[in-house]
């Protein structure tokens, strides 16, 4: 439903620090009261939604799971080797 989409997008914009007002009804192109994939993608492209991470957040994501990156795997092996 359009109300759920409105609430979700407002929360997302609040989290990423976007101060603009959002009106979900403008993106309900076929006026059926819900937002489909095409309508969702048009919002994503129009607003150019992006999350900007600090260097520490990026480092955490790289090192958090050794299976996600080569650097994470290398650090994991080094830590394991130093323990043994």
């Amino acid at each position: 439903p359009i109300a759920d989409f409105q609430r979700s997008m407002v929360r997302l914009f609040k989290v990423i620090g976007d101060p603009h007002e959002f009106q979900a009804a403008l993106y309900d192109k076929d006026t059926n009261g819900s937002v489909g994939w095409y309508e969702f993608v048009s919002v994503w492209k129009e607003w150019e939604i992006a999350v900007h991470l600090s260097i520490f957040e990026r480092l955490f994501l790289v090192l958090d799971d050794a299976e996600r990156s080569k650097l994470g795997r290398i650090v994991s092996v080094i830590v394991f080797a130093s323990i043994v």
Side-chain angles (χ1 to χ4, degrees):
I2 197 87
D4 293 338
F5 182 62
Q6 170 75 28
R7 185 174 54 247
S8 299
M9 294 307 289
V10 166
R11 287 179 181 172
L12 173 66
F13 290 138
K14 188 175 187 179
V15 167
I16 63 174
D18 192 332
H20 295 97
E21 189 71 25
F22 180 76
Q23 294 297 323
L26 299 174
Y27 297 96
D28 185 16
K29 302 292 182 193
D30 53 5
T31 63
N32 65 352
S34 66
V35 176
W37 180 249
Y38 172 77
E39 296 156 329
F40 172 76
V41 170
S42 67
V43 170
W44 202 265
K45 286 182 179 179
E46 182 179 322
W47 286 78
E48 297 178 351
I49 298 171
V51 177
H52 303 285
L53 302 174
S54 71
I55 189 71
F56 297 110
E57 292 168 326
R58 290 172 190 243
L59 216 88
F60 173 77
L61 290 175
V62 167
L63 301 176
D64 181 43
D65 186 4
E67 300 299 319
R68 291 188 182 188
S69 69
K70 291 179 183 178
L71 180 60
R73 184 72 174 150
I74 291 168
V75 170
S76 174
V77 168
I78 291 171
V79 169
F80 183 73
S82 67
I83 292 172
V84 173

